[in-house]
Amino acid sequence: VQRDDSRGGGFVGAGLVFVSLALVVASITVVFLSMRAVMEIGGVCAEGGPFVPRQPCPDGVPLLLVGGIWTGTIFAFAYVWQVVRLQVPNFAWALWPALFLSLGWNFLEYGLDPPGGEGVAWGWLVCAVVFFFMGLGPLLAALPAVWRTLSGAAPPPSPREAPRPPGARAVAATYRSIRESRPSASTTVAEPPAGATDASEGEPAGGGQPDDVVSALERLHYLHRTGAIDDAEYETAKDRILGGSS
Amino acid sequence: VSARAARWLVLQLVAIAAGIWFGVWLFDAVTT
């Protein structure tokens, strides 16, 4: 269902998307910079505890690291929730790769040129490789879908491919009979529910199993409740499903 | 890309830029 984002509710949704995405990106940025600050002093630091730390952390960095990770995680979920709810093109696919590729870059840069200047830090280079794989894997897997989304090259999977619910044939046959009985119905009757459009021609509407009949009645009730069919059409279709005479 | 999609993408690109700016600002403010 396409939601209308041009009205007031759209501004709220747009605001939530903006704020949540900005905070996720800010969190990744803070974690990226904090990690570099720690690597500048050798990659290990400590604070608190009963002992005097040999290498204290840079001011504020532990707070930024912990806060950034938690803030980023929470608002990443909020961002994904909003873009899924609003069904808008988004950058959710890029969050995980952005985090791991940026941190992997830190490992690569400081691994090739460690702060102490003692050649190459192999431990950090191994971390760089691991992080690049973790970031690139999902990115490469997501790229085709991202391209389809942005270019509109291929439609999403058709509802016809979905398993057809029980009773769909009965509803589709009833729907078709209503539509054919009204010359102008094509402009006034909504499309039937997904999965109810490919019923075979000529199948008796009321000849299904009991479960089919119940499902057909439920779907008919849905059409009536949503205003797709009026009271008379509802009664006619119900009688058909139940095998009535009218 | 439809006009609706383009509006959303621009909004989010601005959010990304704002997020980077805010992250750098916050890091500098806390660590200095």
Side-chain angles (χ1 to χ4, degrees):
Chain A
V1 175
Q2 289 286 328
R3 291 174 186 268
D4 185 1
D5 64 343
S6 62
R7 298 176 187 278
F11 287 109
V12 175
L16 290 173
V17 167
F18 184 93
V19 170
S20 58
L21 178 58
L23 286 175
V24 172
V25 173
S27 299
I28 293 175
T29 305
V30 163
V31 170
F32 173 80
L33 294 174
S34 300
M35 178 181 169
R36 295 176 70 84
V38 174
M39 296 185 93
E40 284 284 352
I41 58 172
V44 178
C45 68
E47 278 196 349
F51 305 104
V52 176
R54 184 175 167 190
Q55 176 64 69
C57 292
D59 285 343
V61 164
L63 172 69
L64 287 174
L65 269 175
V66 176
I69 290 169
W70 278 102
T71 305
T73 304
I74 291 169
F75 281 96
F77 279 109
Y79 171 68
V80 171
W81 172 44
Q82 287 301 313
V83 296
V84 168
R85 185 178 71 83
L86 296 167
Q87 295 183 4
V88 295
N90 60 77
F91 293 95
W93 53 273
L95 298 182
W96 176 278
L99 176 66
F100 279 89
L101 292 181
S102 62
L103 300 189
W105 172 261
N106 281 347
F107 279 123
L108 179 66
E109 184 180 341
Y110 285 95
L112 291 176
D113 185 17
E118 67 277 14
V120 173
W122 289 104
W124 285 357
L125 290 182
V126 170
C127 291
V129 171
V130 171
F131 272 55
F132 277 128
F133 271 109
M134 290 183 71
L136 277 178
L139 182 63
L140 294 178
L143 276 183
V146 171
W147 173 249
R148 279 198 303 272
T149 301
L150 295 180
S151 65
S158 167
R160 290 169 185 270
E161 296 171 11
R164 197 168 55 189
R169 285 187 169 193
V171 171
T174 306
Y175 169 81
R176 189 164 49 248
S177 71
I178 293 171
R179 187 172 56 185
E180 289 169 353
S181 69
R182 295 175 50 179
S184 61
S186 61
T187 59
T188 57
V189 178
E191 289 297 313
T197 56
D198 55 347
S200 55
E201 291 289 335
E203 180 171 331
Q209 298 298 315
D211 284 349
D212 289 351
V213 173
V214 172
S215 296
L217 287 172
E218 289 173 350
R219 294 172 192 286
L220 183 65
H221 176 68
Y222 169 79
L223 289 174
H224 181 232
R225 183 163 51 86
T226 56
I229 58 176
D230 60 26
D231 291 343
E233 292 166 341
Y234 172 73
E235 292 299 331
T236 303
K238 188 171 75 171
D239 288 345
R240 275 179 177 271
I241 292 174
L242 296 175
S245 57
S246 55
Chain B
V1 179
S2 67
R4 175 179 183 268
R7 283 199 305 272
W8 278 103
L9 289 175
V10 169
L11 174 85
Q12 291 172 81
L13 287 174
V14 174
I16 290 171
I20 292 173
W21 177 87
F22 179 65
V24 173
W25 175 85
L26 183 66
F27 180 82
D28 286 342
V30 172
T31 57
T32 56

